[in-house]
Amino acid sequence: MTLRKGHRHERPLAVNPLIGEADPIAGVKTPLPRHRLPDGPMAPTIAYRLVHDELMLDGNARLNLATFVTTWMEPQATQLLAETADKNVIDKDEYPQTAELEQRCISILANLWNAPIADPDEAVGCSTTGSSEACMLAGMALKRRWMHRNADRYPGARPNLVMGANVQVCWEKFCNFWEVEARLAPMRGDTYHLTAEQAVELCDENTIGVVSILGSTMDGSYEPVEEICAALDALQERTGLNVPVHVDGASGAMIAPFLDPDLLWDFRLPRVQSINTSGHKYGLVYPGVGWALWRDREALPEELVERVNYLGGDMPTFGLNFSRPGSQVIAQYYNFLRLGFDGFRAVQQACRDVAMHLAREIEELGCFRLLTRGDQLPVFAFTTTEDVKEFDVFDVSRRLREHGWLVPAYTFPPDRQDLAVLRVVCRNGFSLDLADNLMEDLRTVLPWLRRQREPMTGPEDGTSFHH
Ligand SMILES: *Cc1c(COP(=O)(O)O)cnc(C)c1O
């Protein structure tokens, strides 16, 4: 299902006469329908040209400061991706070496996140299409474990999941698809994510777990995972309720290990049962790969795991999809091998440096107030200062777009819908030079914005921005 804005084109595809009918054999029979199969084949060169040219209208990925998803990989990685596009990750028996690389990636992440295992082979986890699938799996494991603990009351009791209103939309999806009540802690004052106090307040005997985000897609801030765990420890002492924690580290689980080694957020905290990350965000792989890991075998109920044939034996698999490209997993392994710990640290530090530099420069313009400074995720959010009456963040976003930049503007969730922000995501490939170009364009648009009498229209449409 695709949702598209505006009118549907009924006109046939436009074909430039130079590539069209010049060659009666290789040429295209026009008119070329848009919404049904053409009557016959055409030469691959022409099909390539038509599709290639049409995609020219997409934005320039390097100027897209809205997405967290990787927009640049090295030529060697791109070559590996092309070489391995035909491998199906589920065929463990046909592609045992791909399966081996997947397992190595899981061990590497278990080590990076301090899983309490003696042997790398004991690492419990799987690759996924992204964090969304990983969150579904982690949520399902939490729900199943709660059902086991409450077999006498379920069905009947309604399970709930506690999290901040700043959660990524995949958690609302999880709750919707798997019939779990989403208990969302509202944003309070100037804290734009879940606090330990709120988490504990919302927990009861039907809570399957607390989701803590490292870090928030809304503003790049880390939630206080350690404090949340400590508050839940105290709750357990007081009431006996033992509420597990899942860390949604879609971005931060590939930042914090390198840049914030002293921050306690991972399996070093015994209450943390599972962690997900997006390989295609700060794991630096093109979209679609993610990872879900559990602290140990107990954290993932055995009955959720399927067995597939692997070299005559059977191999445990967990996932929503069956067939999926193996190439993304291979590209993830390439990055691990290529960069090593120091390489990842250098890349992530460069992103953080750019984010913090840009945040400072924007603050110095005087008409913006920073909500975050890019010193946690290399991401920051800012809004206009109180005294700015002529324009709002949506105007800034629109104006920057005229210069090719995608900087999203959106309103915050309850109870801070009054607050609208702009957000910048700094990724590998967004250099200090590009950041300076952005600043130059921002300085160019400001005098124009100041000439407005009032903000133009607010948000473009009623939908909120999800990334
Ligand atoms: C991006 C993101 C997700 C969803 O991840 P995908 O890899 O895009 O499926 C979930 N949670 C958080 C915190 C995110 O930033």
Side-chain angles (χ1 to χ4, degrees):
M1 176 177 65
T2 56
L3 302 173
R4 37 188 304 165
K5 284 187 193 167
H7 62 288
R8 286 165 57 87
H9 291 282
E10 297 307 335
R11 234 187 336 95
L13 280 179
V15 181
N16 185 310
L18 286 183
I19 65 165
E21 280 138 338
D23 177 346
I25 297 168
V28 195
K29 287 200 186 68
T30 49
L32 207 51
R34 202 177 284 264
H35 301 297
R36 62 175 175 78
L37 278 178
D39 292 336
M42 69 176 80
T45 43
I46 297 178
Y48 173 82
R49 177 80 180 269
L50 289 173
V51 178
H52 177 88
D53 286 0
E54 191 143 8
L55 291 174
M56 205 171 61
L57 297 175
D58 277 346
N60 179 339
R62 294 285 284 278
L63 300 185
N64 182 354
L65 301 180
T67 184
F68 284 80
V69 174
T70 300
T71 47
W72 184 81
M73 287 188 83
E74 289 172 326
Q76 289 80 359
T78 311
Q79 191 181 339
L80 267 178
L81 279 164
E83 283 169 10
T84 57
D86 58 346
K87 290 182 199 281
N88 186 350
V89 85
I90 199 69
D91 291 337
K92 314 280 184 199
D93 205 27
E94 259 173 282
Y95 308 119
Q97 217 48 38
T98 303
E100 163 68 20
L101 297 191
E102 180 182 24
Q103 201 51 47
R104 277 187 221 167
C105 287
I106 292 165
S107 303
I108 287 170
L109 290 171
N111 176 261
L112 199 61
W113 300 339
N114 298 293
I117 47 173
D119 181 339
D121 283 347
E122 286 173 32
V124 186
C126 57
S127 69
T128 61
T129 45
S131 279
S132 300
E133 185 187 356
C135 293
M136 300 291 152
L137 300 177
M140 264 166 26
L142 288 177
K143 184 178 176 193
R144 189 59 65 93
R145 289 176 70 196
W146 171 85
M147 281 162 61
H148 285 314
R149 288 197 302 275
N150 294 276
D152 51 330
R153 298 190 307 116
Y154 184 87
R158 181 156 188 235
N160 67 67
L161 184 64
V162 170
M163 48 207 172
N166 55 309
V167 280
Q168 211 265 357
V169 63
C170 74
W171 288 106
E172 287 163 37
K173 269 195 216 169
F174 165 76
C175 289
N176 183 9
F177 294 176
W178 271 272
E179 316 217 344
V180 169
E181 176 198 345
R183 289 218 173 144
L184 299 173
M187 284 187 174
R188 278 184 196 153
D190 292 337
T191 308
Y192 308 114
H193 56 226
L194 185 68
T195 64
E197 194 188 21
Q198 285 179 310
V200 168
E201 256 171 44
L202 290 175
C203 286
D204 61 22
E205 68 281 7
N206 294 332
T207 303
I208 63 171
V210 171
V211 173
S212 183
I213 310 175
L214 196 90
S216 175
T217 39
M218 295 276 163
D219 64 354
S221 63
Y222 288 165
E223 287 185 348
V225 185
E226 189 185 3
E227 275 177 41
I228 289 171
C229 287
L232 291 171
D233 289 346
L235 176 76
Q236 185 174 4
E237 263 170 45
R238 241 182 9 256
T239 65
L241 275 184
N242 184 2
V243 181
V245 167
H246 171 82
V247 178
D248 179 354
S251 300
M254 288 307 291
I255 296 285
F258 305 107
L259 301 187
D260 311 291
D262 297 331
L263 183 75
L264 281 180
W265 65 274
D266 59 13
F267 292 125
R268 284 169 290 178
L269 298 167
R271 197 165 286 278
V272 172
Q273 299 298 300
S274 44
I275 300 173
N276 68 275
T277 200
S278 297
H280 54 222
K281 289 184 179 174
Y282 290 97
L284 309 176
V285 180
Y286 286 139
V289 64
W291 301 94
L293 268 78
W294 287 264
R295 74 177 293 112
D296 51 30
R297 286 191 194 290
E298 250 169 75
L300 177 60
E302 182 63 20
E303 77 266 23
L304 292 178
V305 178
E306 299 293 331
R307 311 241 154 217
V308 298
N309 195 326
Y310 176 63
L311 300 180
D314 68 1
M315 176 153 183
T317 68
F318 191 31
L320 297 181
N321 300 91
F322 191 70
S323 303
R324 221 162 25 87
S327 49
Q328 257 83 7
V329 167
I330 292 165
Q332 182 75 78
Y333 183 72
Y334 167 84
N335 277 349
F336 286 156
L337 192 66
R338 151 87 174 103
L339 293 173
F341 190 90
D342 287 346
F344 263 100
R345 185 171 50 198
V347 168
Q348 315 302 38
Q349 185 66 52
C351 291
R352 185 179 276 182
D353 289 347
V354 170
M356 290 175 68
H357 166 80
L358 203 50
R360 266 195 311 273
E361 295 246 310
I362 286 174
E363 188 174 38
E364 279 167 19
L365 291 173
C367 48
F368 296 110
R369 177 169 70 83
L370 296 180
L371 275 69
T372 41
R373 324 189 64 88
D375 55 355
Q376 295 186 328
L377 292 188
V379 170
F380 62 96
F382 56 106
T383 187
T384 48
T385 50
E386 293 281 314
D387 54 317
V388 174
K389 305 284 183 230
E390 307 92 334
F391 61 91
D392 62 14
V393 292
F394 300 98
D395 294 327
V396 177
S397 179
R398 269 191 292 269
R399 277 292 182 158
L400 284 175
R401 187 137 194 174
E402 291 169 12
H403 290 261
W405 299 103
L406 278 180
V407 180
Y410 50 95
T411 44
F412 267 10
D415 288 339
R416 288 307 310 268
Q417 296 102 321
D418 58 305
L419 189 58
V421 305
L422 290 149
R423 186 192 67 196
V424 171
V425 177
C426 298
R427 296 186 312 278
N428 187 24
F430 182 60
S431 62
L432 217 46
D433 284 345
L434 277 174
D436 286 342
N437 289 348
L438 171 67
M439 279 310 297
E440 215 174 287
D441 290 337
L442 188 54
R443 286 195 187 95
T444 309
V445 303
L446 280 177
W448 292 95
L449 289 169
R450 289 240 181 247
R451 257 176 255 170
Q452 292 182 185
R453 241 182 244 138
E454 58 186 26
M456 299 290 277
T457 47
E460 202 103 298
D461 53 34
T463 60
S464 58
F465 171 82
H466 294 300
H467 264 297

